[in-house]
Amino acid sequence: MLAAALPKRAAFGPEFTATRDRVAALPDAGLRAAGSDPARWTRTATVRDASVDGALRRFLRDSLGESARAAAVLQALATSYAPGPVWEVRYVRRSPVIAERAESGLQLVRADGAVRQVMHEVPDAAPGDTLTADRARAATAAALRARGV
Protein backbone atom coordinates (compact mmCIF):
# COMPACT_ATOMS: atom_id res chain seq x y z
CA MET A 1 0.00 0.00 0.00
CA LEU A 2 1.55 3.28 -1.11
CA ALA A 3 -0.19 5.47 1.47
CA ALA A 4 1.64 3.67 4.27
CA ALA A 5 4.99 4.70 2.77
CA LEU A 6 4.17 8.41 2.45
CA PRO A 7 5.00 10.73 5.35
CA LYS A 8 2.02 11.98 7.33
CA ARG A 9 1.08 15.57 6.44
CA ALA A 10 0.98 17.92 9.42
CA ALA A 11 -2.55 18.71 10.52
CA PHE A 12 -3.11 22.20 11.87
CA GLY A 13 -5.95 23.25 14.14
CA PRO A 14 -8.03 21.34 16.65
CA GLU A 15 -8.60 17.60 16.33
CA PHE A 16 -11.97 16.49 15.02
CA THR A 17 -14.12 15.31 17.91
CA ALA A 18 -17.50 15.48 16.16
CA THR A 19 -18.58 12.34 14.35
CA ARG A 20 -20.00 12.39 10.82
CA ASP A 21 -23.43 11.44 12.24
CA ARG A 22 -23.39 14.37 14.69
CA VAL A 23 -22.23 16.74 11.97
CA ALA A 24 -25.14 15.63 9.78
CA ALA A 25 -27.68 15.86 12.62
CA LEU A 26 -26.93 19.50 13.51
CA PRO A 27 -27.64 21.05 10.10
CA ASP A 28 -30.67 18.75 9.65
CA ALA A 29 -32.05 20.11 12.93
CA GLY A 30 -31.43 23.63 11.67
CA LEU A 31 -33.39 22.87 8.50
CA ARG A 32 -36.29 21.49 10.53
CA ALA A 33 -36.26 24.57 12.80
CA ALA A 34 -36.49 26.75 9.67
CA GLY A 35 -39.53 24.77 8.53
CA SER A 36 -37.87 22.64 5.86
CA ASP A 37 -37.77 18.86 5.57
CA PRO A 38 -34.20 17.52 5.23
CA ALA A 39 -35.58 14.55 3.28
CA ARG A 40 -36.39 16.94 0.40
CA TRP A 41 -32.68 17.75 0.02
CA THR A 42 -29.56 15.84 -1.00
CA ARG A 43 -26.91 16.30 1.69
CA THR A 44 -23.15 15.90 1.31
CA ALA A 45 -20.59 16.27 4.08
CA THR A 46 -16.89 16.74 3.41
CA VAL A 47 -13.91 18.08 5.32
CA ARG A 48 -12.07 21.09 3.95
CA ASP A 49 -9.61 23.75 5.02
CA ALA A 50 -11.66 26.79 6.08
CA SER A 51 -8.90 29.29 5.29
CA VAL A 52 -9.33 30.78 1.86
CA ASP A 53 -7.60 28.34 -0.48
CA GLY A 54 -4.77 27.83 1.97
CA ALA A 55 -3.76 31.49 1.61
CA LEU A 56 -2.53 31.71 5.21
CA ARG A 57 -0.45 28.54 4.83
CA ARG A 58 1.11 29.90 1.61
CA PHE A 59 1.78 33.31 3.19
CA LEU A 60 3.58 31.75 6.16
CA ARG A 61 5.56 29.39 3.92
CA ASP A 62 6.62 32.31 1.72
CA SER A 63 7.44 34.49 4.74
CA LEU A 64 9.04 31.97 7.07
CA GLY A 65 9.97 29.12 4.75
CA GLU A 66 9.50 25.43 5.54
CA SER A 67 10.85 25.88 9.06
CA ALA A 68 9.64 24.58 12.39
CA ARG A 69 8.89 28.21 13.28
CA ALA A 70 6.44 28.47 10.37
CA ALA A 71 4.68 25.30 11.53
CA ALA A 72 4.51 26.60 15.12
CA VAL A 73 3.05 29.94 14.01
CA LEU A 74 0.50 28.20 11.79
CA GLN A 75 -0.51 25.84 14.62
CA ALA A 76 -0.95 28.77 17.04
CA LEU A 77 -3.10 30.65 14.51
CA ALA A 78 -5.12 27.55 13.59
CA THR A 79 -6.25 27.13 17.19
CA SER A 80 -7.05 30.79 17.77
CA TYR A 81 -7.27 33.35 14.98
CA ALA A 82 -7.43 31.47 11.70
CA PRO A 83 -10.13 28.93 10.97
CA GLY A 84 -8.88 25.38 10.88
CA PRO A 85 -10.42 22.54 8.92
CA VAL A 86 -14.20 22.30 9.04
CA TRP A 87 -16.97 19.98 7.95
CA GLU A 88 -18.74 21.44 4.93
CA VAL A 89 -22.34 20.24 4.83
CA ARG A 90 -24.03 21.13 1.55
CA TYR A 91 -27.72 20.78 0.69
CA VAL A 92 -28.89 20.72 -2.92
CA ARG A 93 -32.06 19.73 -4.71
CA ARG A 94 -31.95 17.14 -7.46
CA SER A 95 -34.90 18.29 -9.53
CA PRO A 96 -35.66 18.62 -13.24
CA VAL A 97 -36.94 22.16 -12.48
CA ILE A 98 -34.04 24.61 -12.78
CA ALA A 99 -35.52 27.08 -10.28
CA GLU A 100 -35.63 24.35 -7.60
CA ARG A 101 -32.01 23.35 -8.31
CA ALA A 102 -30.93 26.99 -7.93
CA GLU A 103 -31.79 26.90 -4.21
CA SER A 104 -29.01 25.50 -2.02
CA GLY A 105 -27.71 25.54 1.50
CA LEU A 106 -24.29 25.29 3.07
CA GLN A 107 -23.27 24.94 6.69
CA LEU A 108 -19.72 24.95 8.01
CA VAL A 109 -19.31 22.93 11.21
CA ARG A 110 -16.19 23.22 13.35
CA ALA A 111 -14.12 20.22 14.38
CA ASP A 112 -15.89 20.16 17.77
CA GLY A 113 -19.34 20.02 16.14
CA ALA A 114 -20.40 23.66 16.62
CA VAL A 115 -22.02 25.29 13.60
CA ARG A 116 -19.70 28.08 12.40
CA GLN A 117 -21.53 29.47 9.37
CA VAL A 118 -24.89 29.01 7.67
CA MET A 119 -25.68 30.07 4.11
CA HIS A 120 -28.93 29.68 2.20
CA GLU A 121 -29.11 30.73 -1.44
CA VAL A 122 -32.56 31.35 -2.86
CA PRO A 123 -33.20 32.33 -6.49
CA ASP A 124 -34.27 35.94 -6.96
CA ALA A 125 -37.46 34.80 -8.69
CA ALA A 126 -38.55 32.62 -5.75
CA PRO A 127 -41.84 33.68 -4.18
CA GLY A 128 -41.60 35.16 -0.73
CA ASP A 129 -42.05 38.14 1.51
CA THR A 130 -40.01 41.29 1.03
CA LEU A 131 -37.55 41.81 3.85
CA THR A 132 -37.17 45.37 5.10
CA ALA A 133 -33.90 46.64 6.54
CA ASP A 134 -35.43 46.81 10.04
CA ARG A 135 -36.71 43.22 9.87
CA ALA A 136 -33.34 42.04 8.54
CA ARG A 137 -31.51 43.72 11.45
CA ALA A 138 -33.96 42.25 13.98
CA ALA A 139 -33.63 38.75 12.51
CA THR A 140 -29.83 39.01 12.48
CA ALA A 141 -29.72 40.24 16.08
CA ALA A 142 -32.01 37.39 17.20
CA ALA A 143 -29.86 34.81 15.38
CA LEU A 144 -26.67 36.19 16.96
CA ARG A 145 -28.23 36.18 20.44
CA ALA A 146 -29.39 32.57 19.92
CA ARG A 147 -25.77 31.61 19.17
CA GLY A 148 -24.45 33.48 22.21
CA VAL A 149 -22.84 36.30 20.24
Side-chain angles (χ1 to χ4, degrees), residues 54-146:
L56 178 61
R57 186 185 298 259
R58 280 194 306 277
F59 171 77
L60 289 173
R61 183 190 61 228
D62 293 347
S63 301
L64 302 174
E66 296 288 340
S67 66
R69 181 171 175 243
V73 169
L74 186 55
Q75 181 63 35
L77 291 175
T79 56
S80 59
Y81 171 76
V86 294
W87 287 96
E88 180 181 271
V89 182
R90 183 172 296 279
Y91 291 89
V92 296
R93 294 189 194 267
R94 307 264 187 232
S95 170
V97 180
I98 292 176
E100 288 180 9
R101 288 195 319 248
E103 182 178 7
S104 66
L106 175 77
Q107 295 192 29
L108 299 181
V109 181
R110 293 187 329 210
D112 63 0
V115 176
R116 181 172 167 260
Q117 186 175 10
V118 177
M119 292 172 272
H120 182 199
E121 292 187 18
V122 181
D124 289 337
D129 192 11
T130 301
L131 185 63
T132 65
D134 289 340
R135 286 178 53 206
R137 284 187 193 97
T140 301
L144 290 172
R145 278 192 305 275

